[in-house]
Amino acid sequence: MPTVSVKRDLLFQALGRTYTDEEFDELCFEFGLELDEITSEKEIISKEQGNVKAAGASDVVLYKIDVPANRYDLLCLEGLVRGLQVFKERIKAPVYKRVMPDGKIQKLIITEETAKIRPFAVAAVLRNIKFTKDRYDSFIELQEKLHQNICRKRALVAIGTHDLDTLSGPFTYTAKRPSDIKFKPLNKTKEYTACELMNIYKTDNHLKHYLHIIENKPLYPVIYDSNGVVLSMPPIINGDHSRITVNTRNIFIECTGTDFTKAKIVLDIIVTMFSEYCENQFTVEAAEVVFPNGKSYTFPELAYRKEMVRADLINKKVGIRETPENLAKLLTRMYLKSEVIGDGNQIEIEIPPTRADIIHACDIVEDAAIAYGYNNIQMTLPKTYTIANQCSQEDIADKLGLDISATKAVHISNPKTAEFQVARTTLLPGLLKTIAANRKMPLPLKLFEISDIVIKDSNTDVGAKNYRHLCAVYYNKNPGFEIIHGLLDRIMQLLDVPPGEDKGGYVIKASEGPAFFPGRCAEIFARGQSVGKLGVLHPDVITKFELTMPCSSLEINIGPFL
Amino acid sequence: MADGPVAELLLRRLEASDGGLDSAELAAELGMEHQAVVGAVKSLQALGEVIEAELRSTKRWELTAEGEEIAREGSHEARVFRSIPPEGLAQSELMRLPSGKVGFSKAMSNKWIRVDKSAADGPRVFRVVDSMEDEVQRRLQLIQGGQAEKLGEKERSELRKRKLLAEVGSWRDRPFKPYNFLAHGVLPDSGHLHPLLKVRSQFRQIFLEMGFTEMPTDNFIESSFWNFDALFQPQQHPARDQHDTFFLRDPAEALQLPMDYVQRVKRTHSQGGYGSQGYKYTWKLDEARKNLLRTHTTSASARALYRLAQKKPFTPVKYFSIDRVFRNETLDATHLAEFHQIEGVVADHGLTLGHLMGVLREFFTKLGITQLRFKPAYNPYTEPSMEVFSYHQGLKKWVEVGNSGVFRPEMLLPMGLPENVSVIAWGLSLERPTMIKYGINNIRDLVGHKVNLQMVYDSPLCRLDAEPRPPPTQEAA
């Protein structure tokens, strides 16, 4: 869940009123947000780096607010305020408009070289914008939040924003050999080739995470203006030439990526959020993007979509009884302008470009429920009549013909630790480690575990299968084979498996195993098949687990008995 | 205790003597309680091979009041004998003597006297012998003289039966050391279940009471298809990243997928359908084939619902599962790479959000959690979604206790479930309630081989509806 950090006083100013922390927390909860933390820059720095470093930092109160992962329109102060104000019916949802420029439309031409590395690009212009320091910071922060979330750390989409007045179109989005790309990147004083930059950024704590997206590719994506000025080398870095500042008035926004749908959403979000500060509020200047096949498209899409949902469907899904008019009002509060049409039971809902998360009627139903207030819904018990059953796990038992020890373990491709490279095929090591971690406990230690282990098995759809194992160890001054043996006898007694070689019985026969002391190991046969082994552990095994006493153990597959 | 003064004294005495010491004698010699000496012996024994001790029992005897009288004045039978003159005595008169009744029958059985029943004035008693030995008096006098050992066991027990002799030191005259009721008893030998197992069986119990059937969950290894795609979780979703999920190197790919169903899932993701816009991206089969360690038991729920959808006509179900799931998480005091997920699912015609809340209320009431609040939330495969919060008395705030929602139509309809069937579901972890219940701050003390066995030995029964211990100082996240 992304967390958005906003200045409290700025937030209250934009909301047109103040709240106590509790009141605001309550409002968040109702709306599906979470006031995660109340802090300040000073507090954050002092927590992370100590009081000394925090000395000069700002102690302006910050609210850290958790936002649902699909609500990209709430990832900045502007969006949060707009959402809450509409929710509280203090403002009407603004209508976002795409307009054609008076003069020539800005053009971005995509060349076919991009196809293999990052084929999509969209663009737009914010005209006559007025930044303040806070607005500017929020603009930068929103891009970062989008990069981290919907853009999947820039892998799917990367955003570049530029001072249009320093550039001259048309722009070209192409891909070149890294050695052929040379420019002065953001915050550097001289030009570097792309190869050099990739090296420099290996130690950059922020940028090093994105290098892998294009590293080792023969061509790197790059955007030029008509004079050959580099706007950006997506998804890594922008050029310094076109950098935006607090004083920038006209912004050219490009989003490049591998996911066209998401690139369009990202662009829509940025322009809807910040067109608020344009001279013509909530209007966005169109840009034209020409694809390699010659087709050209105009962006941002800023598409409004109409959905039709019947009022009784909403009532039925939520478990409430509201009039269609009330439901339309509830939905309108959720930024979904709605009205009752047709037979009086139909609600027409307008999905604005900010609400890319609405893809099905069920999303609309949820918003109606949120506006109604989850905690106002009458709780009822479903009349679903069922008979309970416990899991018998019969399906485990049917395939025990196979020799477990001959099959192999399942390997993890991205293990967390060296101890965790395979899914366990036996429970014994875990119990021995537990003893090792509890050597201070009085003897004897008698431990057991009943758990699943995993074995490769090409007869299943995923190629692996769980088996339910029982493992027990006895750790004392003497090996205690008779104790473990007695445990086996007792288990078999409880499972109603009689001793003896008869078909239904169990018997143990001398055997060997690398884990066991020679001559002190037996294989357990039950109901005509081998189910496991018991014996006294080999001193080498005991030593390897940093244990000092003799130990006997038992491990069986209990599948056949369940 | 072993290094106390008594023990030291005892050792010195032992050194000086050959053939050992009698604890009772030593106590008498040293003028201390016998128990003090015994205590010293026991603590020395506990040290191992320092001293040897054997248990001996000795008995001392003393005369009862009646016994003393007899030692002094002779046995009743002797006294009867002596009181009979040569001309005999009327029996009725004899019986009036103090020793008459007892003495008469004894003297008779000793054949010292005889009764002439044909005498003129009633039965008359005569001496048979001229003199007799008062054996009883002699024996009692011996005992009085401290020579009880000269008597045989049989003779002593005869005297004891006649209540003339008593064992010295019977419990009546002994002083008893008071019990220390503050001390602990000796624990019985018993096994101990791990707290997670105890809490788990409580949850199972609750589900069974509510009529839920347990789902099979015996596949830790799952394909991305069942773990994500079937749940309408898009292929670029961050949860499908290496940073969040453990993928398999071997077997790297699922061998079989239900291809008909796969096609419907593919279409729903990439183009939409069933009333959905879809995610509008290029859905790849290779991505769906990737095997992983399941990240939630919802993959098992998806398989169960798919199986349900193949059965016609549709029958309503309630399912639950409690089993292990795996996530590539940053490990800390409250997070491990594997944990147990508890999941409940109800599928029926026309279920509402109100029904979901109603079921949750009943479920949590059985857990002893009554103050509930629901927060709108986002889950990729449920819509509407709600997080469940409960008011924590100890922390004095609302804490999240579970997540829930209505499965998206984009997940259910491709499976083949009827359109008017809704499926409500909720989930929570097993570890968190266990940590709160047993006051455990660090998950490593609870799960994995570093588990503290003392904690396992000491943890009480799990009754979820009972008041929990005071909360841990650190909040379990």
Side-chain angles (χ1 to χ4, degrees):
Chain A
M1 202 188 272
T3 305
V4 180
S5 178
V6 295
K7 290 181 182 168
R8 183 192 61 189
D9 294 347
L10 222 54
L11 178 71
F12 289 170
Q13 190 190 328
L15 288 172
R17 61 159 286 188
T18 59
Y19 291 84
T20 65
D21 292 341
E22 290 72 29
E23 283 168 348
F24 192 72
D25 183 50
E26 196 58 38
L27 174 63
C28 283
F29 193 95
E30 200 188 343
F31 192 55
L33 305 170
E34 206 172 327
L35 179 54
D36 186 48
E37 203 186 343
I38 301 162
T39 180
S40 71
E41 215 165 284
K42 194 172 195 168
E43 218 178 299
I44 296 170
I45 298 174
S46 110
K47 225 187 255 174
E48 285 167 2
Q49 307 169 30
N51 286 327
V52 185
K53 291 248 168 129
S58 149
D59 43 19
V60 171
V61 178
L62 294 178
Y63 275 177
K64 289 197 156 183
I65 301 169
D66 281 348
V67 175
N70 62 341
R71 291 297 300 269
Y72 317 118
D73 60 317
L74 302 177
L75 286 175
C76 59
L77 177 92
E78 290 74 14
L80 273 174
V81 168
R82 229 174 281 163
L84 288 171
Q85 292 293 73
V86 173
F87 184 58
K88 284 286 159 196
E89 296 176 284
R90 290 198 203 102
I91 61 166
K92 282 211 164 93
V95 178
Y96 307 104
K97 267 196 287 227
R98 184 176 76 190
V99 295
M100 285 303 177
D102 298 336
K104 241 178 38 196
I105 189 166
Q106 294 296 338
K107 231 183 222 185
L108 175 64
I109 299 150
I110 307 178
T111 73
E112 61 192 10
E113 289 83 2
T114 59
K116 281 219 171 100
I117 176 146
R118 211 172 173 80
F120 302 109
V122 293
V125 174
L126 287 175
R127 200 51 89 172
N128 293 320
I129 199 165
K130 212 165 178 186
F131 273 146
T132 61
K133 176 74 171 65
D134 285 323
R135 291 171 180 183
Y136 173 84
D137 288 347
S138 176
F139 186 65
I140 301 296
E141 190 57 31
L142 173 65
Q143 293 174 52
E144 180 57 22
K145 289 283 178 239
L146 290 168
H147 275 152
Q148 290 311 312
N149 293 286
I150 179 174
C151 303
R152 282 297 300 280
K153 299 187 174 130
R154 300 191 189 180
L156 299 182
V157 185
I159 310 158
T161 54
H162 310 277
D163 187 339
L164 183 58
D165 298 333
T166 66
L167 299 165
S168 74
F171 306 99
T172 309
Y173 173 42
T174 184
K176 282 189 157 186
R177 291 220 310 266
S179 51
D180 294 343
I181 301 172
K182 195 171 188 195
F183 67 105
K184 188 165 90 173
L186 210 56
N187 302 326
K188 295 278 180 203
T189 49
K190 58 173 241 197
E191 291 194 344
Y192 296 92
T193 66
C195 304
E196 290 169 331
L197 280 178
M198 294 298 271
N199 248 327
I200 292 170
Y201 292 145
K202 276 205 171 74
T203 54
D204 184 302
N205 276 337
H206 180 55
L207 295 177
K208 67 180 176 192
H209 303 293
Y210 309 121
L211 304 181
H212 72 96
I213 302 171
I214 57 168
E215 216 173 14
N216 305 323
K217 295 274 164 66
L219 303 179
Y220 285 4
V222 60
I223 303 177
Y224 294 99
D225 83 346
S226 61
N227 297 324
V229 172
V230 170
L231 276 72
S232 65
M233 183 174 84
I236 311 297
I237 190 84
N238 287 348
D240 194 60
H241 178 91
S242 57
R243 68 180 304 160
I244 62 163
T245 67
V246 176
N247 301 318
T248 299
R249 295 301 311 273
N250 300 300
I251 302 175
F252 180 69
I253 304 163
E254 39 86 3
C255 300
T256 59
T258 54
D259 185 316
F260 194 32
T261 311
K262 291 214 156 53
K264 291 189 283 191
I265 294 173
V266 168
L267 183 67
D268 277 353
I269 293 291
I270 294 176
V271 298
T272 51
M273 291 300 114
F274 282 88
S275 55
E276 183 178 349
Y277 302 130
C278 289
E279 201 170 71
N280 290 323
Q281 253 194 337
F282 304 118
T283 63
V284 185
E285 183 179 309
E288 185 183 335
V289 177
V290 185
F291 279 70
N293 62 8
K295 283 198 177 156
S296 93
Y297 299 87
T298 313
F299 295 106
E301 279 193 340
L302 292 184
Y304 281 81
R305 186 175 94 237
K306 292 261 162 76
E307 291 279 356
M308 218 74 87
V309 178
R310 295 188 65 82
D312 51 11
L313 178 96
I314 298 177
N315 279 328
K316 242 168 62 188
K317 292 282 178 193
V318 181
I320 52 176
R321 275 187 222 154
E322 287 295 298
T323 62
E325 288 72 22
N326 272 347
L327 291 174
K329 212 181 269 174
L330 290 174
L331 287 169
T332 304
R333 281 176 54 205
M334 297 306 288
Y335 221 105
L336 301 170
K337 209 174 103 195
S338 304
E339 54 182 339
V340 181
I341 57 154
D343 62 0
N345 197 0
Q346 287 276 26
I347 301 175
E348 187 186 67
I349 300 124
E350 186 181 67
I351 317 296
T354 46
R355 292 299 307 273
D357 60 300
I358 305 280
I359 57 175
H360 191 278
C362 67
D363 298 301
I364 295 167
V365 169
E366 179 182 70
D367 272 17
I370 293 173
Y372 182 84
Y374 275 7
N375 296 292
N376 298 326
I377 299 170
Q378 179 75 40
M379 295 188 209
T380 46
L381 270 183
K383 295 195 169 60
T384 313
Y385 184 80
T386 54
I387 304 291
N389 275 313
Q390 306 190 35
C391 199
S392 65
Q393 298 220 348
E394 272 162 357
D395 51 329
I396 293 188
D398 58 351
K399 230 182 267 151
L400 246 116
L402 96 174
D403 180 6
I404 290 173
S405 55
T407 54
K408 277 185 268 153
V410 159
H411 289 256
I412 315 296
S413 70
N414 52 335
K416 185 117 235 160
T417 64
E419 274 182 314
F420 198 68
Q421 298 189 43
V422 297
R424 59 185 179 171
T425 57
T426 158
L427 304 177
L428 182 61
L431 288 186
L432 294 178
K433 283 183 195 169
T434 305
I435 293 179
N438 284 280
R439 274 172 303 199
K440 61 179 192 303
M441 299 298 292
L443 294 174
L445 283 171
K446 297 185 267 188
L447 301 185
F448 81 94
E449 179 171 6
I450 298 175
S451 238
D452 281 8
I453 56 108
V454 184
I455 301 284
K456 265 184 78 174
D457 179 354
S458 56
N459 292 320
T460 66
D461 62 345
V462 294
K465 193 168 162 57
N466 281 21
Y467 288 90
R468 177 72 39 100
H469 269 206
L470 180 156
C471 182
V473 294
Y474 178 78
Y475 181 72
N476 202 359
K477 289 178 192 159
N478 56 314
F481 180 84
E482 68 286 359
I483 308 253
I484 279 295
H485 190 189
L487 176 66
L488 174 70
D489 292 338
R490 177 65 178 149
I491 291 167
M492 290 299 157
Q493 187 179 46
L494 291 175
L495 293 172
D496 201 15
V497 182
E501 291 218 48
D502 302 347
K503 199 136 180 40
Y506 77 100
V507 67
I508 68 171
K509 292 180 178 169
S511 176
E512 279 173 23
F516 295 100
F517 197 73
R520 297 277 185 277
C521 168
E523 189 164 2
I524 306 157
F525 295 87
R527 294 180 179 162
Q529 62 190 24
S530 168
V531 293
K533 281 181 177 168
L534 81 168
V536 178
L537 291 183
H538 198 286
D540 287 350
V541 173
I542 292 172
T543 316
K544 272 181 200 145
F545 282 93
E546 298 179 343
L547 298 175
T548 50
M549 304 274 178
C551 183
S552 51
S553 80
L554 157 77
E555 180 153 1
I556 56 172
N557 176 6
I558 56 168
F561 312 110
L562 297 179
Chain B
M1 282 301 286
D3 51 359
V6 184
E8 197 182 325
L9 212 55
L10 179 65
L11 286 174
R12 284 186 199 290
R13 292 286 184 127
L14 266 176
E15 204 174 25
S17 78
D18 8 281
L21 291 171
D22 182 305
S23 59
E25 283 170 18
L26 184 66
E29 246 177 82
L30 295 173
M32 57 176 62
E33 290 272 327
H34 184 224
Q35 276 310 315
V37 178
V38 173
V41 169
K42 290 223 163 124
S43 52
L44 284 170
Q45 271 181 308
L47 292 177
E49 295 168 9
V50 177
I51 60 165
E52 277 177 23
E54 58 181 51
L55 198 61
R56 281 187 192 172
S57 60
T58 55
K59 285 178 178 171
R60 286 197 297 120
W61 301 91
E62 66 185 17
L63 304 189
T64 60
E66 193 185 353
E68 273 177 20
E69 184 196 315
I70 287 171
R72 199 169 57 241
E73 297 177 18
S75 64
H76 298 294
E77 55 271 32
R79 275 185 263 170
V80 164
F81 179 80
R82 279 197 285 268
S83 60
I84 298 172
E87 65 277 13
L89 191 66
Q91 190 179 12
S92 53
E93 205 170 317
L94 179 91
M95 284 304 175
R96 280 197 290 274
L97 296 172
S99 304
K101 272 183 188 159
V102 189
F104 170 75
S105 57
K106 275 282 170 195
M108 281 294 287
S109 69
N110 284 351
K111 299 204 167 62
W112 291 348
I113 57 173
R114 69 179 169 86
V115 183
D116 181 359
K117 289 190 176 158
S118 59
D121 48 351
R124 206 168 173 82
V125 185
F126 296 93
R127 285 190 185 185
V128 176
V129 293
D130 295 331
S131 65
M132 48 80 206
E133 282 288 320
D134 190 352
E135 202 44 38
V136 174
Q137 184 183 35
R138 190 186 67 82
R139 286 176 188 165
L140 289 174
Q141 282 168 347
L142 267 179
I143 290 167
Q144 229 172 7
Q147 292 175 295
E149 65 275 15
K150 288 198 174 158
L151 297 179
E153 182 66 34
K154 199 178 154 206
E155 292 153 337
R156 276 205 301 261
S157 92
E158 206 173 282
L159 293 173
R160 215 169 57 160
K161 272 186 207 150
R162 290 183 67 174
K163 298 205 168 79
L164 306 177
L165 194 61
E167 226 174 288
V168 175
S170 111
W171 62 271
R172 285 176 208 281
D173 342 301
R174 283 245 183 117
F176 285 89
K177 204 175 147 192
Y179 278 167
N180 176 7
F181 292 112
L182 296 174
H184 289 287
V186 176
L187 290 177
D189 275 340
S190 66
H192 309 271
L193 287 179
H194 191 283
L196 275 179
L197 288 176
K198 298 191 221 185
V199 178
R200 185 195 145 100
S201 65
Q202 285 289 305
F203 273 107
R204 276 185 96 240
Q205 185 66 31
I206 289 170
F207 276 115
L208 292 170
E209 282 168 10
M210 290 176 70
F212 282 66
T213 285
E214 194 165 16
M215 286 184 271
T217 49
D218 56 334
N219 55 320
F220 294 164
I221 309 302
E222 191 53 279
S223 60
S224 292
F225 178 77
W226 286 109
N227 198 80
F228 294 124
D229 295 286
L231 303 177
F232 197 52
Q233 201 154 350
Q235 296 191 327
Q236 321 88 335
H237 193 277
R240 303 181 69 153
D241 204 281
Q242 295 268 330
H243 296 296
D244 289 86
T245 299
F246 292 113
F247 288 92
L248 295 197
R249 198 180 71 222
D250 181 28
E253 291 200 332
L255 307 165
Q256 306 143 28
L257 293 175
M259 288 316 289
D260 258 24
Y261 172 44
V262 168
Q263 285 310 318
R264 294 195 293 274
V265 168
K266 173 184 177 169
R267 205 171 49 240
T268 316
H269 277 244
S270 53
Q271 301 161 31
Y274 307 103
S276 175
Q277 300 285 312
Y279 291 121
K280 299 196 174 90
Y281 69 100
T282 315
W283 187 91
K284 296 194 185 97
L285 183 61
D286 289 350
E287 199 62 39
R289 278 196 191 279
K290 282 186 185 169
N291 272 339
L292 41 79
L293 287 176
R294 68 170 176 222
T295 63
H296 45 204
T297 47
T298 317
S299 57
S301 306
R303 281 177 183 266
L305 289 170
Y306 176 71
R307 277 194 301 273
L308 178 70
Q310 308 320 304
K311 277 191 256 166
K312 310 281 175 192
F314 169 82
T315 36
V317 296
K318 292 189 217 144
Y319 288 146
F320 82 96
S321 65
I322 308 173
D323 209 345
R324 239 173 252 251
V325 299
F326 307 84
R327 295 197 191 160
N328 199 351
E329 302 237 27
T330 309
L331 310 180
D332 62 30
T334 53
H335 294 89
L336 284 182
E338 61 175 273
F339 62 94
H340 290 77
Q341 191 183 336
I342 302 168
E343 185 159 320
V345 175
V346 185
D348 200 351
H349 296 282
L351 292 177
T352 68
L353 208 52
H355 285 136
L356 172 60
M357 293 163 69
V359 173
L360 287 169
R361 183 183 58 189
E362 294 305 319
F363 178 79
F364 282 100
T365 301
K366 280 180 178 284
L367 292 176
I369 295 172
T370 47
Q371 255 181 301
L372 284 189
R373 195 157 83 126
F374 301 92
K375 175 180 161 296
Y378 168 68
N379 301 318
Y381 42 89
T382 58
E383 190 85 10
S385 311
M386 38 177 57
E387 283 170 2
V388 189
F389 281 69
S390 90
Y391 191 76
H392 195 293
Q393 296 295 350
L395 298 170
K396 296 260 172 285
K397 66 176 197 176
W398 292 89
V399 294
E400 194 193 330
V401 291
N403 207 340
S404 69
V406 183
F407 282 136
R408 293 191 71 100
E410 293 102 318
M411 165 180 164
L412 302 179
L413 296 177
M415 289 178 172
L417 285 169
E419 207 165 329
N420 56 352
V421 166
S422 295
V423 182
I424 56 179
W426 74 99
L428 57 156
S429 90
L430 178 64
E431 280 76 0
R432 196 177 137 95
T434 307
M435 287 172 78
I436 293 173
K437 181 86 203 160
Y438 287 100
I440 295 165
N441 285 327
N442 190 338
I443 195 163
R444 293 181 190 92
D445 292 337
L446 181 72
V447 186
H449 58 261
K450 292 207 172 113
V451 63
N452 180 352
L453 285 181
Q454 192 64 54
M455 176 277 292
V456 175
Y457 291 173
D458 295 345
S459 63
L461 286 181
C462 174
R463 290 191 42 211
L464 291 171
D465 55 349
E467 192 64 20
R469 281 191 198 188
T473 41
Q474 274 176 324
E475 185 197 340

